[in-house]
Amino acid sequence: MAKYLAEALNIIQFRDYCPNGLQVEGRPQIQRLVSGVTASQALLEAALEAGADAILVHHGYFWRGEDARVIGSKHKRLKLLLTHDINLFAYHLPLDSHPQFGNNVQLAQQLDLAPDGRFGDDQLGWLGHAAAPEVKTVGDLAALIERRLKRAPLLIGDPAQPLARVAWCTGGAQGMLGDAIAAGASVYISGEISEPTVHLARESGVAYLAAGHHATERYGVQALGQHLAERFGLQHQFIDIDNPV
C-alpha cells in the first residue's frame, strides 16, 4: 500500500514539512483501515477500539523543526502504535494537491465549486467558480459553507459583493491570499486566518473566508481511504475527532 500511495500521490514532487508515506511501521497485513484528519491521541485510541491495522491521516508526525525527543505526547502516541502494531500512513501536501482524492478537489465538491485552474507553489491553490445558481454573492457563499461544513466561516469583506472568480486552498493556507489575488480571484477560501490576512483582504478588495483548518480538510482523507478500501479489499472507517480550529 505504501508503494501504491507513493506513486498515486506522486510524493516525490513535493518539498514538504514532514515525511509522506509510512511513518510508523506495524503489522505486515492490513484488513481494517481507519482514516482521520490528524494522528492525535484521541484518533489513535478510537482506531485501536475499532480494531484498525492501519491509520491513514493528513497530519502525521515528524514535522520539520519540531523537538526530536520521544517524550510527552509524542511518546504516548508512538507507544500506542508500536505496542499494538498499528501502521501509520500520513500524506500532507500530496493529499492537498491530488486531482481526485485531494482536500482541495474534495472541498470543491462539498461546496459546488467548478475548478478550472491552479495557482501558487506546487500548484496547490485551486481556481474556479460557484456552480450553484443561487450562490451569487460572497454572503451566499459563506452561508453555503456554514450549511455544508457545519461551521460558520469568518468573513472578511462585503457580504453583498458579487461573486466572480473563486480561489481556495484548505488548511493553513492564509499565506496564499496574495497568490490568489495575483491569480485574479475575487474571493479566497482557506481554513485559518492570521492578523495580516485581514489587512490584505480589506486593502485588496478580495474577500476572505476562513472556513476552519479541520473543517476544510475532512474530505480528502475520507476519499482516499475509501479508494484504498475498494482497491485492496479493506474495511474502511473514517473517524472524525472534532476540532473547532
Side-chain angles (χ1 to χ4, degrees):
M1 195 162 77
K3 182 176 184 295
Y4 172 77
L5 285 168
E7 296 175 356
L9 299 179
N10 194 19
I11 65 174
I12 63 170
Q13 171 188 336
F14 298 90
R15 296 164 294 172
D16 213 334
Y17 317 105
C18 62
N20 289 291
L22 181 62
Q23 291 191 338
V24 179
E25 185 176 355
R27 61 192 64 131
Q29 299 298 321
I30 298 171
Q31 294 182 325
R32 186 165 186 82
L33 175 68
V34 163
S35 62
V37 177
T38 299
S40 64
Q41 187 73 21
L43 178 67
L44 301 187
E45 291 173 355
L48 176 62
E49 181 69 22
D53 303 302
I55 302 171
L56 172 71
V57 296
H58 180 49
H59 302 134
Y61 303 150
F62 314 115
W63 298 93
R64 184 191 306 160
E66 74 172 20
D67 188 343
R69 295 176 297 168
V70 182
I71 59 174
S73 292
K74 182 185 287 187
H75 171 262
K76 288 180 64 177
R77 294 172 177 180
L78 292 175
K79 183 178 180 180
L80 186 150
L81 290 167
L82 293 169
T83 298
H84 297 282
D85 216 16
I86 301 173
N87 296 278
L88 177 68
F89 294 86
Y91 299 91
H92 186 232
L93 296 183
L95 187 58
D96 288 321
S97 179
H98 195 272
Q100 183 178 358
F101 310 117
N103 285 319
N104 284 318
V105 70
Q106 291 294 321
L107 182 65
Q109 292 179 19
Q110 294 295 319
L111 301 181
D112 296 330
L113 300 174
D116 58 22
R118 306 278 288 264
F119 70 95
D121 289 345
D122 291 321
Q123 297 289 285
L124 285 175
W126 287 57
L127 292 161
H129 64 274
E134 69 275 13
V135 179
K136 299 177 181 178
T137 67
V138 170
D140 293 337
L141 181 57
L144 177 67
I145 289 171
E146 182 171 4
R147 291 196 303 273
R148 298 288 175 84
L149 303 190
K150 311 302 182 187
R151 182 191 189 280
L154 175 62
L155 167 59
I156 307 299
D158 180 4
Q161 177 182 321
L163 275 186
R165 199 130 170 83
V166 181
W168 65 96
C169 190
T170 65
Q174 64 267 39
M176 291 179 65
L177 174 57
D179 295 323
I181 294 168
S186 65
V187 59
Y188 177 55
I189 306 165
S190 191
E192 296 188 25
I193 189 166
S194 54
E195 197 270 350
T197 316
V198 176
H199 303 296
L200 182 56
R202 288 173 176 169
E203 293 167 15
S204 67
V206 173
Y208 186 88
L209 284 160
H213 194 137
H214 179 86
T216 58
E217 295 195 325
R218 287 191 298 240
Y219 305 102
V221 74
Q222 291 186 63
L224 183 58
Q226 187 57 37
H227 170 73
L228 292 173
E230 294 168 1
R231 181 174 180 86
F232 292 102
L234 308 176
Q235 299 175 57
H236 169 242
Q237 178 184 357
F238 172 72
I239 298 178
D240 191 19
I241 304 298
D242 182 60
N243 188 329
V245 173

